[in-house]
C-alpha cells in the first residue's frame, strides 16, 4: 500500500507518499480500506518530532479514519467485511489501509458521507470524554471553549449547546458569524478582548495551555472545572493556588492518544450511545473546512498551521 511517511522531522515538506508494507489485523482488530483521514494538531507535532506514536502503533501520522472493512482479524465481535465505518486509531491513518481495534470503531452516522465521517472520531471522543466524563457538564451551566474555529472547537460548541449549556467561545473575528450559527451564545475576539475580564464559566475546555492558565482560573465560577487538552500557548505557567482554592475549582489535564485500549473503548461506547444519536438526528455534525488529496498532506499541514481553517481538514484517497 501507499502511506504518508515522515522522511525526517521537520516542516510539511518532510511528508512523502510512499510504498510501505500492508498492515495485518491482529486479534480484535479490523483492516479498513481508508476513504479519508482526519488531520489533527497532534499530526503536526509528530511530523516535527515532538509527539512519537505509542508503542506498537504505525509510524505514519493519522489518528482517525473512515472507510470500509476489508478484513477482520480473529475474535468475537459484530463487525463484518463490507461495513462502512469510522475509527479512532493510534496512528497510521494517512494511508490506503489502516488497522483499528474493534472497540474503537463507529458506524458512519446517518446523513454523513463516509468521507466526512473521518472528521468525527477524534473530536467526538475528545470533546465527549472531557466535557461530559471529566467535567460533568450540566444543563444551564456555562461552557467556555477556547479555539472555537478549530475541529475540536466547532464540535464542542455544538455538543455543549445540544447538552443544554450556555456556550461562550474564543476565536478570531472572521469566524464569529459561523460560530454563532453553530450555536455559540457569545463569541469573543481573543485578539482584542480579555475573556477573563467578562466571562464566568462552569466548565472551560482549553487547547492553549500555559498562556491561558491564569485567565482560565480567573474566569471560573465557584466549583468550576478547567480541562486542559492542548499546549499551543506553552506548557508552563504559574498557578495561583489561592485563587483556585477560593473558588473550589478543579484543573484537569488529559490526553486521548496515550490511553489504554480499554479506556478508549469505554469512551467510544459513550460516544456511540450519547453523541451519535445527536448526529443521526441532525442536531450536530462534522464541520469540514476542506478536503485535500492524501498525497498532498503537506498542503493540509500548511493550512492547519496557518489557523485560517474553520472546522476539520480531511485527507481523501486519490
Amino acid at each position: 500500500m501507499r502511506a504518508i511517511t515522515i522522511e525526517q522531522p521537520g516542516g510539511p515538506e518532510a511528508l512523502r507518499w510512499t510504498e510501505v508494507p500492508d498492515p495485518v489485523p491482529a486479534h480484535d482488530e479490523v483492516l479498513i480500506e481508508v476513504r479519508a483521514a482526519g488531520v489533527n494538531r497532534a499530526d503536526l507535532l509528530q511530523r516535527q518530532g515532538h509527539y512519537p506514536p505509542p508503542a506498537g502503533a504505525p509510524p505514519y501520522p493519522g489518528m482517525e479514519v473512515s472507510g470500509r472493512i476489508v478484513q477482520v482479524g480473529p475474535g468475537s465481535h459484530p463487525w463484518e467485511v463490507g461495513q462502512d465505518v469510522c475509527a479512532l486509531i493510534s496512528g497510521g491513518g494517512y494511508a490506503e489501509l489502516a488497522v483499528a481495534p474493534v472497540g474503537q470503531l463507529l458506524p458512519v452516522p446517518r446523513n454523513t458521507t463516509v468521507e466526512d465521517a473521518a472528521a468525527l472520531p477524534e473530536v467526538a471522543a475528545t470533546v465527549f470524554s472531557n466535557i461530559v466524563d471529566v467535567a460533568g457538564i450540566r444543563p444551564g451551566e456555562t461552557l467556555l471553549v477556547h479555539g472555537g474555529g478549530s475541529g475540536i472547537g466547532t464540535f464542542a460548541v455544538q455538543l455543549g449547546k445540544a447538552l443544554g449549556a450556555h456556550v461562550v467561545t474564543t476565536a478570531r473575528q472572521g469566524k464569529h458569524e459561523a460560530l454563532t450559527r453553530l450555536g455559540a451564545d457569545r463569541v469573543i475576539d481573543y485578539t482584542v478582548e480579555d475573556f477573563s475580564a467578562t466571562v464566568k464559566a462552569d466548565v472551560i475546555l482549553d487547547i492553549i495551555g500555559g498562556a491561558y492558565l491564569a485567565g482560565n482560573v480567573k474566569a471560573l465560577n465557584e466549583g468550576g472545572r478547567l480541562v486542559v487538552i492542548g499546549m499551543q500557548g506553552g506548557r508552563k505557567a504559574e498557578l495561583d493556588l489561592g485563587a483556585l482554592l477560593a473558588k473550589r475549582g478543579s484543573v484537569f489535564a488529559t490526553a486521548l492518544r496515550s490511553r489504554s485500549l480499554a479506556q478508549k473503548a469505554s469512551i467510544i461506547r459513550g460516544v456511540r450511545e450519547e453523541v451519535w444519536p445527536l448526529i443521526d438526528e441532525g442536531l450536530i455534525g462534522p464541520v469540514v473546512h476542506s478536503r485535500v488529496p492524501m498525497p498532498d498532506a503537506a498542503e493540509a499541514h500548511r493550512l492547519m498551521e496557518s489557523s485560517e481553517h474553520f472546522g476539520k481538514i480531511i485527507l481523501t484517497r486519490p
Side-chain angles (χ1 to χ4, degrees), residues 136-201:
I137 190 79
R138 295 183 289 269
E141 289 190 319
T142 295
L143 168 67
L144 171 59
V145 178
H146 288 304
S150 66
I152 292 289
T154 53
F155 198 84
V157 166
Q158 294 180 83
L159 184 58
K161 196 63 179 177
L163 295 176
H166 178 84
V167 180
V168 181
T169 188
T170 58
R172 294 180 183 179
Q173 181 61 44
K175 302 179 181 182
H176 288 205
E177 184 178 343
L179 284 165
T180 299
R181 289 198 300 269
L182 286 181
D185 296 286
R186 181 183 174 194
V187 187
I188 294 172
D189 184 350
Y190 64 86
T191 66
V192 297
E193 183 178 351
D194 177 8
F195 70 89
S196 69
T198 59
V199 177
K200 291 298 177 185

Side-chain angles (χ1 to χ4, degrees), residues 14-30:
L15 301 176
R16 294 283 187 271
W17 187 234
T18 310
E19 290 280 348
V20 299
D22 289 1
V24 178
H27 190 273
D28 283 340
E29 292 182 339
V30 302

Side-chain angles (χ1 to χ4, degrees), residues 3-282:
I4 291 291
T5 61
I6 302 171
E7 191 172 61
Q8 60 183 8
E13 67 280 356
L15 301 176
R16 294 283 187 271
W17 187 234
T18 310
E19 290 280 348
V20 299
D22 289 1
V24 178
H27 190 273
D28 283 340
E29 292 182 339
V30 302
L31 184 66
I32 299 171
E33 183 179 49
V34 175
R35 181 69 191 90
V39 179
N40 293 280
R41 288 276 174 185
D43 302 338
L44 276 61
L45 292 174
Q46 180 175 337
R47 188 203 73 223
Q48 294 162 358
H50 302 315
Y51 193 22
Y60 331 122
M63 302 189 301
E64 57 185 343
V65 297
S66 62
R68 180 161 296 179
I69 296 175
V70 292
Q71 186 179 345
V72 175
S76 178
H77 51 77
W79 301 100
E80 300 177 348
V81 170
Q83 288 180 296
D84 288 332
V85 295
C86 54
L88 178 71
I89 57 178
S90 295
Y94 291 15
E96 293 178 320
L97 297 169
V99 165
V102 296
Q104 293 166 215
L105 294 173
L106 288 159
V108 174
R110 292 198 303 269
N111 303 317
T112 302
T113 66
V114 175
E115 194 172 86
D116 285 358
L120 288 170
E122 180 76 16
V123 294
T126 297
V127 173
F128 173 80
S129 65
N130 284 293
I131 71 171
V132 176
D133 287 348
V134 174
I137 190 79
R138 295 183 289 269
E141 289 190 319
T142 295
L143 168 67
L144 171 59
V145 178
H146 288 304
S150 66
I152 292 289
T154 53
F155 198 84
V157 166
Q158 294 180 83
L159 184 58
K161 196 63 179 177
L163 295 176
H166 178 84
V167 180
V168 181
T169 188
T170 58
R172 294 180 183 179
Q173 181 61 44
K175 302 179 181 182
H176 288 205
E177 184 178 343
L179 284 165
T180 299
R181 289 198 300 269
L182 286 181
D185 296 286
R186 181 183 174 194
V187 187
I188 294 172
D189 184 350
Y190 64 86
T191 66
V192 297
E193 183 178 351
D194 177 8
F195 70 89
S196 69
T198 59
V199 177
K200 291 298 177 185
D202 301 291
V203 174
I204 301 176
L205 186 66
D206 178 42
I207 63 173
I208 303 300
Y212 274 14
L213 181 60
N216 282 331
V217 171
K218 181 180 177 182
L220 283 176
N221 274 326
E222 288 191 9
R225 291 86 73 197
L226 164 62
V227 188
V228 181
I229 61 171
M231 300 180 292
Q232 293 181 34
R235 57 188 298 167
K236 294 182 180 180
E238 184 173 299
L239 174 63
D240 185 342
L241 289 173
L244 192 64
L245 286 166
K247 295 185 175 186
R248 302 188 307 280
S250 302
V251 179
F252 303 90
T254 75
L256 181 61
R257 191 183 197 185
S258 58
R259 296 195 190 200
S260 69
L261 288 175
Q263 290 173 324
K264 290 178 183 177
S266 177
I267 290 170
I268 292 299
R269 281 195 299 273
V271 167
R272 185 166 184 178
E273 292 170 2
E274 300 188 42
V275 180
W276 246 231
L278 299 174
I279 301 175
D280 284 339
E281 294 167 19

